Amino acid sequence: MDALIAASARALSAGDALGALKGVALREDPPALALRGIAMAQLGELARARDLLRRAARAFGPREELARARCVLAEAEVALAMRELGDPPRLLAAAAVTLEKHGDRSNALHARLLTARRFLLLGRLADALAALETVDPRGLPPALAAVAELTSAELALRSLRSAPARAALARAHQAAYRSGIPSLIAEVAEARAALDRPAARRIASGAEQPLRLDEVEALLASGALVLDACRRGLAGAGAWQPLARRPILFSLARSLAEAWPQDVERDALIATAFRTRRPDETHRARLRVEIGRLRALVKHLAGIEATPRGFVLQPRGASQVVVLAPPIDGEQASLVALLSDGTAWSTSALALALGDSQRTVQRAVAELEAAGQVRGVGQARARRWVAAPLAGFTTVLLLPASLPGA
Amino acid sequence: MSTTTHSRPSQAEAHAAEIVREFGPFAASTPVHGVSYDGTRVWAATGERLLAIDPSSGEVTRTLECTCDAGTAFDGKHLWQIAGSRIDKIDPVTGEVMASIPAPAGGSNSGLTWAEGSLWVGDYRGRSIHRIDPATGAVQRTVETNRFVTGVTWVDGELWHGTWEADESELRRIHPESGEVLTRLEMPPGTGVSGLESDGADLLYCGGGASGKVRAVRRPRAQRA
């Protein structure tokens, strides 16, 4: 339509972002601003890109709502790449409706995918799933199909369903190759590699063995009673009893599970659960109370019997008891294991689950954040922590397909 | 006389455009940025290739490898083609670029036609049409309109331009002095107009933007006002 815009768009689609900028560098009209924004994003200048796209969206006239919606979409994707998740999703939702109305189906679906990915990064898995279910990956352009499959693989992994995750990653792999975008291909390869890394350790009868995610899943399905020290709970026969918010009960359960089929001495239980080496009668009374509480909570999975020197775990139905521990020892590994369910945790909830002080958890989280393994969302008291996504999420929209007026 | 004239609110009644024929798309995902007519063939600018189309068969009979980002024009002997920030004069036989002049500076140039020794260039977002000197590129005068200009053509003393704004496209005949809208032909919804050229008779050829099509629209006979 417009020679310089067309020439710049051609340069962009050939991967020549600098050439694209050359043609429109001095222009301030909205299509030029949008194009400059997309070129800057491709050059990695995300903050500048977002500013340009925002100005472009504002500058388009009231009758140019399609062009404006595309700018909102591009800006949202840049914000996501910057991990800035504060913007209200209703702008993006409105843009999706506008894009749909104007028959721009692939950008409309892209807007939905962005919404799903944003929820995933915020640790709102149910919302992410709901948003993802509105996207039909069939018939999508390859790059978008790859991102859709990556997103659903991530969701499946977070809920320990490795078979659907593997299938989604295989489809993502094919789509990424068809798209020919190297960063996307690398992203999928990285996510697939994550599937083959040890996700946990199995501890049974004093022996340890690393497990991949699908082996964890198989173990949970095997009928064994599993004391899951990653997610902090007791699993068996398809049932799940969370103990994350009951650190003392979890600690008792873990001691009993590690000792199974032997019993555990009262003093040993008191030492680990109450952290004291000099037990007295009040501790023994408290132990009876706590064991009673644990017994009530897990009675559908296992019984807890008193023995002459302590207590013993007696699984119902299950033939064996297995302890599942984080892949490596230590405070940080336990934190990462807890966060790997993909939901958002507050520092106080983490402290409660791990039985540590908030201060200790804050220190550990800060170190993990510096290493890029966890991410904070929100400010001050509303701050929550989520695990870094398995795949980094390549920004794929930033292609001329989204250009206003194109 | 002032070199710039202002448009008045459009008074002309809109009529539905009568699409006589459609050509293309010619290859996957090649948008049409501009069209021209050399007396026998329709030329379509598709970014990196100028296609010559036989209007009787709809077949591409010739392809010139050259940069073509927007409007195309034919002066009786040569093709003129907007390429980025310049306008190239092209030998239609060899495809050789014989000369280049700068396109009007700072403008969003879109649409080109030849008339009476001058080139007329559409300024897309500037909602105006410039008459320029084909030797130097200097702007001689400017006609303002009230819609985005996506194609320009002269036929029988009538100045026509294509517009595409907010998903609505029209072919408009405007007064070359005042910019007053004299005739409006509404394209069907979802049909863009990028590039416009008359065949010198009853047809107007228009580019279809990202659809990659070229459409022939019947030009209504002038009613003398």
Side-chain angles (χ1 to χ4, degrees):
Chain A
M1 305 175 70
D2 166 341
L4 280 175
I5 297 289
S8 296
R10 202 149 40 72
L12 260 189
S13 62
D16 179 9
L18 287 173
L21 277 176
K22 205 164 61 188
V24 291
L26 296 174
R27 278 176 51 174
E28 294 284 320
D29 54 289
L33 287 173
L35 219 142
R36 284 165 60 192
I38 290 170
M40 289 310 257
Q42 291 197 349
L43 291 171
E45 295 281 335
L46 296 180
R48 179 94 185 105
R50 196 182 48 168
D51 177 48
L52 286 163
L53 288 165
R54 197 169 278 178
R55 278 169 61 199
R58 273 201 305 262
F60 275 113
R63 285 158 53 83
E64 299 171 274
E65 61 171 11
L66 177 60
R68 185 182 302 150
R70 286 171 173 164
C71 285
V72 168
L73 175 61
E75 187 196 321
E77 177 147 35
V78 172
L80 195 72
M82 293 172 78
R83 298 291 185 257
E84 286 202 356
L85 307 166
D87 284 345
R90 75 192 149 74
L91 272 182
L92 192 55
V97 170
T98 304
L99 291 163
E100 198 116 284
K101 193 178 90 189
H102 287 270
D104 188 349
R105 181 175 171 267
S106 74
N107 275 328
L109 288 174
H110 193 120
R112 300 244 157 77
L113 264 182
L114 269 187
T115 309
R117 287 164 59 188
R118 186 175 169 278
F119 281 134
L120 197 56
L121 288 172
L122 285 168
R124 290 165 60 178
L125 301 187
D127 291 329
L129 183 64
L132 194 60
E133 274 171 350
T134 65
V135 178
D136 181 0
R138 285 168 301 179
L140 277 181
L144 286 189
V147 172
E149 297 292 2
L150 262 180
T151 311
S152 72
E154 175 109 20
L155 268 171
L157 284 177
R158 294 300 188 196
S159 48
L160 270 181
R161 290 178 297 124
S162 60
R166 219 171 262 283
L169 283 176
R171 290 191 297 268
H173 176 75
Q174 287 179 347
Y177 261 94
R178 268 185 288 135
S179 80
I181 301 173
S183 53
L184 198 54
I185 298 170
E187 207 77 80
V188 178
E190 170 57 26
R192 293 183 109 186
L195 270 182
D196 293 324
R197 280 199 279 270
R201 282 174 302 157
R202 170 201 169 111
I203 305 173
S205 332
E208 286 190 9
Q209 177 197 351
L211 295 184
R212 293 196 315 264
L213 201 63
D214 51 350
E215 291 168 332
V216 171
E217 197 185 353
L219 175 64
L220 290 173
S222 69
L225 183 67
V226 179
L227 186 283
D228 187 340
C230 299
R231 290 186 295 158
R232 309 257 151 167
L234 203 58
W240 169 247
Q241 177 56 53
L243 295 171
R245 287 169 183 278
R246 313 292 293 268
I248 291 179
L249 300 191
F250 173 76
S251 164
L252 290 172
R254 181 169 181 171
S255 296
L256 291 170
E258 276 177 357
W260 184 88
Q262 261 76 54
D263 61 352
V264 188
E265 277 188 301
R266 284 186 180 78
D267 287 356
L269 286 173
I270 288 168
T272 46
F274 306 147
R275 299 187 176 182
T276 175
R277 284 173 194 281
R278 273 173 290 170
D280 55 27
E281 272 314 306
T282 63
H283 288 115
R284 286 171 185 262
R286 204 172 142 207
L287 178 64
R288 273 195 300 281
V289 171
E290 299 290 359
I291 288 283
R293 284 177 179 156
L294 181 62
R295 189 182 281 136
L297 270 183
V298 305
K299 64 174 188 284
H300 54 294
L301 291 167
I304 299 171
E305 305 291 328
T307 63
R309 51 182 209 132
F311 294 96
V312 68
L313 196 62
Q314 288 188 330
R316 295 201 201 292
S319 55
Q320 62 166 341
V321 177
V322 177
V323 174
L324 205 57
I328 48 171
D329 275 321
E331 200 60 57
Q332 295 192 344
S334 306
L335 256 177
V336 171
L338 261 184
L339 289 169
S340 66
D341 68 353
T343 55
W345 289 73
S346 66
T347 316
S348 54
L350 287 171
L352 196 57
L354 296 172
D356 281 324
S357 74
Q358 278 213 47
R359 192 70 205 100
T360 306
V361 168
Q362 274 163 358
R363 237 190 325 264
V365 177
E367 283 166 25
L368 286 172
E369 189 184 27
Q373 283 182 279
V374 305
R375 222 160 20 74
V377 179
Q379 296 302 322
R381 290 175 67 87
R383 198 156 177 81
R384 295 288 181 273
W385 298 95
V386 283
L390 294 164
F393 285 132
T394 304
T395 312
V396 292
L397 162 87
L398 308 172
L399 299 168
S402 70
L403 272 186
Chain B
M1 189 187 92
S2 157
T3 55
T4 301
T5 46
H6 289 280
S7 59
R8 284 168 221 154
S10 70
Q11 304 287 323
E13 193 187 332
H15 298 276
E18 186 193 339
I19 297 174
V20 181
R21 272 206 74 175
E22 285 194 353
F23 307 102
F26 301 100
S29 68
T30 47
V32 174
H33 297 301
V35 287
S36 191
Y37 183 72
D38 67 6
T40 50
R41 294 168 297 189
V42 178
W43 290 86
T46 63
E48 284 162 336
R49 242 158 253 115
L50 260 174
L51 307 178
I53 303 153
D54 176 355
S56 58
S57 68
E59 298 295 319
V60 174
T61 56
R62 226 175 120 54
T63 302
L64 297 184
E65 302 281 333
C66 58
T67 308
C68 40
D69 296 314
T72 311
F74 184 70
D75 65 7
K77 205 171 166 195
H78 304 106
L79 289 166
W80 295 79
Q81 175 60 53
I82 305 181
S85 55
R86 55 172 212 274
I87 300 175
D88 291 337
K89 181 180 180 183
I90 298 166
D91 183 331
V93 180
T94 63
E96 181 195 351
V97 175
M98 307 171 70
S100 289
I101 56 171
S108 43
N109 301 301
S110 167
L112 187 69
T113 194
W114 175 272
E116 310 293 327
S118 294
L119 281 169
W120 297 70
V121 190
D123 181 348
Y124 171 55
R125 293 195 72 88
R127 297 187 169 101
S128 55
I129 299 165
H130 304 295
R131 176 182 169 183
I132 66 169
D133 181 340
T136 63
V139 175
Q140 294 169 331
R141 61 175 277 239
T142 298
V143 185
E144 291 198 358
T145 168
N146 57 6
R147 281 285 184 282
F148 291 165
V149 177
T150 59
V152 192
T153 193
W154 275 96
V155 54
D156 289 348
E158 297 176 1
L159 178 59
W160 287 80
H161 79 82
T163 173
W164 186 356
E165 193 168 337
D167 262 14
E168 292 164 12
S169 275
E170 288 183 6
L171 306 182
R172 293 178 158 216
R173 182 187 150 211
I174 63 169
H175 194 285
E177 300 290 338
S178 66
E180 183 189 354
V181 181
L182 303 173
T183 310
R184 293 166 57 196
L185 301 181
E186 262 179 356
M187 298 294 279
T191 314
V193 172
S194 59
L196 183 67
E197 190 71 276
S198 137
D199 72 344
D202 287 344
L203 292 181
L204 292 165
Y205 290 110
C206 38
S211 74
K213 291 184 178 181
V214 174
R215 298 185 176 88
V217 174
R218 190 173 305 284
R219 177 171 68 103
R221 278 297 172 189
Q223 316 98 348
R224 294 284 163 227

